[in-house]
Amino acid sequence: MIRKLAVTLVAFFAASIACSDTTFVSCTPQQENVIEFAYSQAFSRAKDSEIRVGNTPSYVRWFGTWTQTREDLVKEKLSAIIANALISTPEFRCRTATHPACVGNRYAAVDLGTSFEVEICPRFFGQVAGGDRTGVLIHEIAHFRMGANAGVDKCYGAVGPNNCLDLATTDPDAAVNSPDNYRLFIGNR
């Protein structure tokens, strides 16, 4: 009980730190609040998921057949996602539906050449298909080269998690490099 409370307090404190230097561009105060809440939850959920890395049902579901090499890679990438959410200074840019980053019904997007800039699209503030806003930010954090080094989308769980489940089954090496597989792994507590 004491350990769980200590872990919860550490996660809360760290998540609070993660949001302290957050900057926003063209966002309303309400949008800023929504983004900050989702961002703080991204750290907590990622941290909580660390105990499921290994030869566990959740790991196998989202990353395929277990091998020590893949487990080590998932641990490395998950640690990078956590570190990214904890120590980075993100810049969230609220964009219009006609902005190039928001075409194709996107919720958010990143430019891999940036340090930590996330383009937030209007759909992010509505109903998010296949998950929640926190999951969207986990997906985007996973894209950053200084994060999980997962640059190319291999599947999208927002259109149904089956394509990410299929990826884990048919190509586990690709699944461990798929931002949405991390989003789904972290989100499935």
Side-chain angles (χ1 to χ4, degrees):
M1 175 70 170
I2 292 173
R3 183 176 187 280
K4 185 174 183 175
L5 177 60
V7 169
T8 301
L9 289 174
V10 167
F12 174 77
F13 179 68
S16 297
I17 292 171
C19 292
S20 65
D21 292 331
T22 304
T23 58
F24 299 94
V25 175
S26 302
C27 301
T28 67
Q30 294 85 0
Q31 290 172 325
E32 291 177 12
N33 289 337
V34 168
I35 295 167
E36 280 196 342
F37 179 77
Y39 185 61
S40 69
Q41 292 298 304
F43 171 81
S44 297
R45 289 186 190 178
K47 190 73 180 146
D48 289 346
S49 72
E50 284 182 306
I51 62 169
R52 293 184 283 117
V53 176
N55 196 4
T56 65
S58 181
Y59 173 93
V60 171
R61 180 176 189 194
W62 298 112
F63 300 115
T65 305
W66 178 88
T67 67
Q68 187 63 55
T69 301
R70 277 197 291 271
E71 176 184 335
D72 292 345
L73 188 58
V74 169
K75 283 181 179 177
E76 177 186 315
K77 290 175 183 283
L78 188 57
S79 292
I81 290 170
I82 292 165
N84 224 10
L86 179 59
I87 63 172
S88 297
T89 304
E91 180 174 280
F92 294 103
R93 300 173 174 193
C94 294
R95 301 300 189 188
T96 64
T98 58
H99 188 276
C102 296
V103 298
N105 295 320
R106 290 185 181 152
Y107 296 102
V110 297
D111 177 357
L112 295 180
T114 66
S115 57
F116 202 164
E117 297 167 3
V118 182
E119 309 291 344
I120 302 292
C121 302
R123 289 190 72 211
F124 179 85
F125 300 102
Q127 182 66 32
V128 178
D132 61 3
R133 293 179 189 103
T134 299
V136 170
L137 294 184
I138 290 168
H139 174 102
E140 299 307 334
I141 291 168
H143 272 296
F144 285 104
R145 294 195 189 288
M146 62 187 196
N149 197 21
V152 179
D153 287 312
K154 313 283 186 203
C155 66
Y156 274 111
V159 295
N162 287 342
N163 56 1
C164 293
L165 290 169
D166 290 344
L167 184 65
T169 301
T170 61
D171 192 353
D173 291 330
V176 300
N177 288 300
S178 168
D180 238 26
N181 285 68
Y182 284 89
R183 176 186 70 84
L184 292 162
F185 175 76
I186 291 168
N188 282 263
R189 296 174 273 216

PDB file of all heavy atoms in Angstrom, residues 27-28 31 34 56 58 81 84 125 129 131 136 138 162 168 176 189:
ATOM      1  N   CYS A  27      -3.531  28.611 -29.064  1.00  0.00           N
ATOM      2  CA  CYS A  27      -4.510  27.805 -28.326  1.00  0.00           C
ATOM      3  C   CYS A  27      -5.300  28.700 -27.379  1.00  0.00           C
ATOM      4  O   CYS A  27      -4.753  29.636 -26.799  1.00  0.00           O
ATOM      5  CB  CYS A  27      -3.813  26.721 -27.511  1.00  0.00           C
ATOM      6  SG  CYS A  27      -2.821  25.559 -28.470  1.00  0.00           S
ATOM      7  N   THR A  28      -6.558  28.377 -27.206  1.00  0.00           N
ATOM      8  CA  THR A  28      -7.370  29.073 -26.213  1.00  0.00           C
ATOM      9  C   THR A  28      -7.013  28.520 -24.827  1.00  0.00           C
ATOM     10  O   THR A  28      -6.445  27.423 -24.717  1.00  0.00           O
ATOM     11  CB  THR A  28      -8.876  28.855 -26.468  1.00  0.00           C
ATOM     12  OG1 THR A  28      -9.182  27.479 -26.226  1.00  0.00           O
ATOM     13  CG2 THR A  28      -9.275  29.267 -27.882  1.00  0.00           C
ATOM     14  N   GLN A  31      -8.384  25.037 -24.510  1.00  0.00           N
ATOM     15  CA  GLN A  31      -7.595  24.058 -25.253  1.00  0.00           C
ATOM     16  C   GLN A  31      -6.310  23.721 -24.507  1.00  0.00           C
ATOM     17  O   GLN A  31      -5.900  22.557 -24.442  1.00  0.00           O
ATOM     18  CB  GLN A  31      -7.279  24.569 -26.656  1.00  0.00           C
ATOM     19  CG  GLN A  31      -8.484  24.624 -27.573  1.00  0.00           C
ATOM     20  CD  GLN A  31      -8.179  25.323 -28.890  1.00  0.00           C
ATOM     21  OE1 GLN A  31      -7.400  26.280 -28.939  1.00  0.00           O
ATOM     22  NE2 GLN A  31      -8.803  24.834 -29.955  1.00  0.00           N
ATOM     23  N   VAL A  34      -7.064  21.226 -21.751  1.00  0.00           N
ATOM     24  CA  VAL A  34      -7.302  19.883 -22.282  1.00  0.00           C
ATOM     25  C   VAL A  34      -5.977  19.215 -22.647  1.00  0.00           C
ATOM     26  O   VAL A  34      -5.730  18.056 -22.313  1.00  0.00           O
ATOM     27  CB  VAL A  34      -8.249  19.945 -23.510  1.00  0.00           C
ATOM     28  CG1 VAL A  34      -8.290  18.617 -24.256  1.00  0.00           C
ATOM     29  CG2 VAL A  34      -9.650  20.349 -23.073  1.00  0.00           C
ATOM     30  N   THR A  56       4.610 -11.263 -21.358  1.00  0.00           N
ATOM     31  CA  THR A  56       3.285 -11.143 -20.740  1.00  0.00           C
ATOM     32  C   THR A  56       2.225 -11.122 -21.834  1.00  0.00           C
ATOM     33  O   THR A  56       2.528 -10.819 -22.994  1.00  0.00           O
ATOM     34  CB  THR A  56       3.171  -9.830 -19.928  1.00  0.00           C
ATOM     35  OG1 THR A  56       3.254  -8.715 -20.833  1.00  0.00           O
ATOM     36  CG2 THR A  56       4.279  -9.719 -18.875  1.00  0.00           C
ATOM     37  N   SER A  58      -0.083  -8.946 -22.444  1.00  0.00           N
ATOM     38  CA  SER A  58      -0.204  -7.607 -23.026  1.00  0.00           C
ATOM     39  C   SER A  58       0.942  -7.330 -23.998  1.00  0.00           C
ATOM     40  O   SER A  58       0.727  -6.786 -25.095  1.00  0.00           O
ATOM     41  CB  SER A  58      -0.228  -6.557 -21.915  1.00  0.00           C
ATOM     42  OG  SER A  58      -0.357  -5.275 -22.450  1.00  0.00           O
ATOM     43  N   ILE A  81      10.082   7.218 -24.265  1.00  0.00           N
ATOM     44  CA  ILE A  81       8.776   7.890 -24.233  1.00  0.00           C
ATOM     45  C   ILE A  81       8.577   8.535 -22.867  1.00  0.00           C
ATOM     46  O   ILE A  81       8.161   9.695 -22.757  1.00  0.00           O
ATOM     47  CB  ILE A  81       7.638   6.899 -24.552  1.00  0.00           C
ATOM     48  CG1 ILE A  81       7.694   6.483 -26.027  1.00  0.00           C
ATOM     49  CG2 ILE A  81       6.270   7.506 -24.221  1.00  0.00           C
ATOM     50  CD1 ILE A  81       6.767   5.331 -26.384  1.00  0.00           C
ATOM     51  N   ASN A  84      10.898  11.455 -22.489  1.00  0.00           N
ATOM     52  CA  ASN A  84      10.420  12.537 -23.344  1.00  0.00           C
ATOM     53  C   ASN A  84       9.273  13.281 -22.669  1.00  0.00           C
ATOM     54  O   ASN A  84       9.234  14.507 -22.658  1.00  0.00           O
ATOM     55  CB  ASN A  84       9.949  11.956 -24.679  1.00  0.00           C
ATOM     56  CG  ASN A  84      10.420  12.750 -25.853  1.00  0.00           C
ATOM     57  OD1 ASN A  84      11.237  13.635 -25.739  1.00  0.00           O
ATOM     58  ND2 ASN A  84       9.877  12.429 -27.001  1.00  0.00           N
ATOM     59  N   PHE A 125      -9.940  17.976 -30.027  1.00  0.00           N
ATOM     60  CA  PHE A 125     -10.796  18.495 -28.965  1.00  0.00           C
ATOM     61  C   PHE A 125     -12.211  17.936 -29.016  1.00  0.00           C
ATOM     62  O   PHE A 125     -13.016  18.189 -28.134  1.00  0.00           O
ATOM     63  CB  PHE A 125     -10.819  20.032 -29.011  1.00  0.00           C
ATOM     64  CG  PHE A 125      -9.449  20.604 -28.838  1.00  0.00           C
ATOM     65  CD1 PHE A 125      -8.734  21.074 -29.931  1.00  0.00           C
ATOM     66  CD2 PHE A 125      -8.844  20.617 -27.596  1.00  0.00           C
ATOM     67  CE1 PHE A 125      -7.454  21.582 -29.781  1.00  0.00           C
ATOM     68  CE2 PHE A 125      -7.560  21.114 -27.434  1.00  0.00           C
ATOM     69  CZ  PHE A 125      -6.862  21.599 -28.525  1.00  0.00           C
ATOM     70  N   ALA A 129     -11.617   8.940 -31.942  1.00  0.00           N
ATOM     71  CA  ALA A 129     -11.911   7.550 -32.291  1.00  0.00           C
ATOM     72  C   ALA A 129     -10.801   6.631 -31.812  1.00  0.00           C
ATOM     73  O   ALA A 129      -9.631   6.982 -31.867  1.00  0.00           O
ATOM     74  CB  ALA A 129     -12.083   7.416 -33.807  1.00  0.00           C
ATOM     75  N   GLY A 131      -9.843   5.657 -28.929  1.00  0.00           N
ATOM     76  CA  GLY A 131      -9.087   5.933 -27.717  1.00  0.00           C
ATOM     77  C   GLY A 131      -9.395   7.296 -27.162  1.00  0.00           C
ATOM     78  O   GLY A 131     -10.516   7.783 -27.271  1.00  0.00           O
ATOM     79  N   VAL A 136      -3.541   9.820 -28.105  1.00  0.00           N
ATOM     80  CA  VAL A 136      -3.063  10.577 -29.265  1.00  0.00           C
ATOM     81  C   VAL A 136      -1.689  11.173 -28.955  1.00  0.00           C
ATOM     82  O   VAL A 136      -0.762  11.093 -29.768  1.00  0.00           O
ATOM     83  CB  VAL A 136      -4.062  11.686 -29.663  1.00  0.00           C
ATOM     84  CG1 VAL A 136      -3.465  12.627 -30.691  1.00  0.00           C
ATOM     85  CG2 VAL A 136      -5.363  11.081 -30.176  1.00  0.00           C
ATOM     86  N   ILE A 138       0.491  10.152 -26.666  1.00  0.00           N
ATOM     87  CA  ILE A 138       1.469   9.058 -26.562  1.00  0.00           C
ATOM     88  C   ILE A 138       1.957   8.679 -27.952  1.00  0.00           C
ATOM     89  O   ILE A 138       3.153   8.504 -28.182  1.00  0.00           O
ATOM     90  CB  ILE A 138       0.876   7.849 -25.823  1.00  0.00           C
ATOM     91  CG1 ILE A 138       0.680   8.175 -24.342  1.00  0.00           C
ATOM     92  CG2 ILE A 138       1.749   6.604 -26.008  1.00  0.00           C
ATOM     93  CD1 ILE A 138      -0.161   7.169 -23.582  1.00  0.00           C
ATOM     94  N   ASN A 162      -7.391  -3.867 -34.822  1.00  0.00           N
ATOM     95  CA  ASN A 162      -7.032  -5.136 -35.462  1.00  0.00           C
ATOM     96  C   ASN A 162      -5.822  -5.027 -36.363  1.00  0.00           C
ATOM     97  O   ASN A 162      -5.020  -5.966 -36.451  1.00  0.00           O
ATOM     98  CB  ASN A 162      -8.215  -5.719 -36.226  1.00  0.00           C
ATOM     99  CG  ASN A 162      -9.263  -6.275 -35.287  1.00  0.00           C
ATOM    100  OD1 ASN A 162      -8.990  -6.521 -34.126  1.00  0.00           O
ATOM    101  ND2 ASN A 162     -10.462  -6.446 -35.796  1.00  0.00           N
ATOM    102  N   ALA A 168       1.484  -7.080 -35.003  1.00  0.00           N
ATOM    103  CA  ALA A 168       2.217  -7.793 -33.951  1.00  0.00           C
ATOM    104  C   ALA A 168       2.352  -9.273 -34.282  1.00  0.00           C
ATOM    105  O   ALA A 168       3.388  -9.884 -34.011  1.00  0.00           O
ATOM    106  CB  ALA A 168       1.518  -7.607 -32.607  1.00  0.00           C
ATOM    107  N   VAL A 176       7.350  -3.380 -32.909  1.00  0.00           N
ATOM    108  CA  VAL A 176       8.131  -2.706 -31.860  1.00  0.00           C
ATOM    109  C   VAL A 176       8.622  -1.335 -32.314  1.00  0.00           C
ATOM    110  O   VAL A 176       9.181  -0.597 -31.516  1.00  0.00           O
ATOM    111  CB  VAL A 176       9.304  -3.571 -31.343  1.00  0.00           C
ATOM    112  CG1 VAL A 176       8.805  -4.869 -30.742  1.00  0.00           C
ATOM    113  CG2 VAL A 176      10.338  -3.812 -32.415  1.00  0.00           C
ATOM    114  N   ARG A 189      -4.375  -1.129 -19.882  1.00  0.00           N
ATOM    115  CA  ARG A 189      -3.887  -1.454 -18.537  1.00  0.00           C
ATOM    116  C   ARG A 189      -4.525  -2.711 -18.038  1.00  0.00           C
ATOM    117  O   ARG A 189      -5.563  -3.129 -18.396  1.00  0.00           O
ATOM    118  CB  ARG A 189      -4.220  -0.318 -17.575  1.00  0.00           C
ATOM    119  CG  ARG A 189      -3.486   0.947 -17.961  1.00  0.00           C
ATOM    120  CD  ARG A 189      -3.936   2.053 -17.108  1.00  0.00           C
ATOM    121  NE  ARG A 189      -5.111   2.646 -17.736  1.00  0.00           N
ATOM    122  CZ  ARG A 189      -5.396   3.911 -17.728  1.00  0.00           C
ATOM    123  NH1 ARG A 189      -4.632   4.730 -17.096  1.00  0.00           N
ATOM    124  NH2 ARG A 189      -6.450   4.393 -18.303  1.00  0.00           N
TER     125      ARG A 189
END
